[in-house]
Amino acid sequence: MQDRRHVLTPDALLMMDTIARTGSFAAAARELGKVPSALTYSVRQLEDALDVLLFDRRSRQARLTTAGEELLREGRLLLQQMAAVANRVQRVASGWEAELTIAVDKAMAPHAIFDLMEAFYALKPPTRLRMRSEVMTGTWEALTTGKADLAIGVPADRVVGSDMRQELIGEFKFIFAVAPHHPLAAEPGPLSPAEIARHRIIAVADTAQGLTPMTVGILPGQDVLTLPSMSAKLEAQLRGLGCGYLPEPMLRPYLDQGRLVHKPVTGPERLIRSFYAWRQPSAQPGLGLTWWLHQLASPTTRRALLERHEGLLL
């Protein structure tokens, strides 16, 4: 008996598909450019190797058995997958990366990121996307350690080497806000650090592992609730679990609805500059990275990354 792996060839699967589609061995033989006896012999070899009957010999037509139907169904999937692999290999050879990893800071607007992914996939690229969700220094660390090819939302202008490039996305205005039922909501402003320090602050954990994590807005001795994302921080502040700073575009609808209250604080405005960065390859960058960099160069895209926070994903 032949090895089953050796008989399940693309030609054998195509033969099964053609017989089932045309409805007879004779018609399939004409389409495949073979004589009917050769086709019959090939089917018997396949049946012997698999130790099953693929066609009902009692029928004058090429009627599949249950086993034949299963082989046809799986065989068609395999043929599609092989065609897809061949297409991917061809396109990768033309300059597309096999995989592109993008680290996105959780302060970036999720709608804008999904819009970019949707537009990218509309190109039907062979490149697989891998998205990493990071916070503050962790976004930069993912790039510098080689875990990401592109970082979106690096929270500060970084000292870069000759192989690194960065461009400004824009500037976030962070404002201090609390729920209407939070004790600080009734305090006259502007709030001093001493007043804020008496209340729990909501913080987002920096995802950096090797680099020194950033700590923003936490006062000495202050109680802290640390959460994994900006959207979780927003939910906590909506529930009155604490106070804290959030990007103004993210807060805007909740301030308009009266679900959060903006409380002025003493001191200068808190403005955070956000960048995107990438490792500049020695050769021409792949077409996938080139496409993303082209989109990020657009003022419209940059504005959307800062502003489009409606319907946050928690």
Side-chain angles (χ1 to χ4, degrees):
M1 182 182 294
Q2 296 185 53
D3 190 324
R4 295 175 180 180
R5 294 172 299 173
H6 295 160
V7 297
L8 289 176
T9 63
D11 285 343
L13 298 174
L14 179 61
M15 174 187 68
M16 289 289 297
D17 181 73
T18 307
I19 295 170
R21 181 167 43 80
T22 59
S24 74
F25 280 70
R30 285 194 299 272
E31 185 171 316
L32 294 172
K34 297 183 178 182
V35 296
S37 59
L39 205 62
T40 302
Y41 177 72
S42 296
V43 170
R44 289 195 181 279
Q45 280 191 310
L46 186 58
E47 289 178 324
D48 289 343
L50 298 176
D51 196 24
V52 296
L53 284 177
L54 299 174
F55 291 92
D56 187 347
R57 298 298 194 276
R58 296 170 299 179
S59 173
R60 297 185 63 182
Q61 292 184 322
R63 183 172 298 168
L64 290 164
T65 63
T66 303
E69 290 175 351
E70 180 66 16
L71 178 60
L72 179 63
R73 182 165 46 251
E74 295 295 330
R76 283 173 172 168
L77 289 174
L78 286 171
L79 288 172
Q80 291 171 2
Q81 290 170 1
M82 284 186 280
V85 169
N87 183 54
R88 284 178 57 80
V89 169
Q90 184 181 42
R91 295 194 69 176
V92 167
S94 68
W96 290 90
E97 303 93 332
E99 183 172 277
L100 190 66
T101 301
I102 301 174
V104 181
D105 190 88
K106 292 182 179 180
M108 294 290 100
H111 273 287
I113 295 297
F114 276 97
D115 284 347
L116 287 169
M117 287 192 285
E118 187 176 13
F120 182 74
Y121 281 125
L123 302 174
K124 300 190 183 302
T127 302
R128 293 187 179 94
L129 284 182
R130 182 183 294 273
M131 310 300 288
R132 294 177 60 97
S133 187
E134 304 288 350
V135 176
M136 293 187 286
T137 306
T139 312
W140 176 251
E141 184 179 81
L143 179 67
T144 58
T145 57
K147 295 176 182 176
D149 305 294
L150 172 65
I152 302 176
V154 176
D157 193 1
R158 299 279 175 165
V159 176
V160 297
S162 58
D163 63 336
M164 292 288 185
R165 295 284 304 279
Q166 63 181 3
E167 294 288 343
L168 179 68
I169 295 173
E171 199 169 61
F172 276 119
K173 180 180 179 181
F174 276 66
I175 64 175
F176 191 83
V178 295
H181 56 281
H182 189 279
L184 284 175
E187 293 291 332
L191 300 175
S192 69
E195 290 175 296
I196 295 172
R198 290 196 291 269
H199 299 271
R200 183 186 306 112
I201 194 163
I202 310 296
V204 180
D206 193 314
T207 53
Q209 300 293 317
L211 298 177
T212 303
M214 290 176 64
T215 302
V216 179
I218 300 175
L219 299 168
Q222 189 173 23
D223 183 23
V224 183
L225 169 59
T226 304
L227 295 171
S229 68
M230 282 287 187
S231 52
K233 173 180 167 68
L234 172 60
E235 179 67 19
Q237 290 184 216
L238 286 167
R239 291 171 180 265
L241 297 178
C243 57
Y245 291 87
L246 281 164
E248 189 274 334
M250 185 183 293
L251 286 176
R252 195 178 301 147
Y254 303 97
L255 296 174
D256 293 342
Q257 297 163 16
R259 298 181 64 193
L260 285 173
V261 178
H262 171 213
K263 299 297 294 184
V265 298
T266 58
E269 284 189 329
R270 182 163 295 183
L271 298 174
I272 304 294
R273 285 157 58 87
S274 185
F275 295 77
Y276 65 94
W278 69 99
R279 188 180 298 277
Q280 183 70 40
S282 55
Q284 183 71 18
L287 295 178
L289 178 59
T290 299
W291 183 90
W292 279 85
L293 293 176
H294 179 73
Q295 303 305 310
L296 291 169
S298 162
T300 301
T301 299
R302 295 180 183 184
R303 187 164 53 252
L305 287 168
L306 300 176
E307 295 280 337
R308 291 205 59 200
H309 286 279
E310 70 274 15
L312 281 170
L313 302 175
L314 296 180

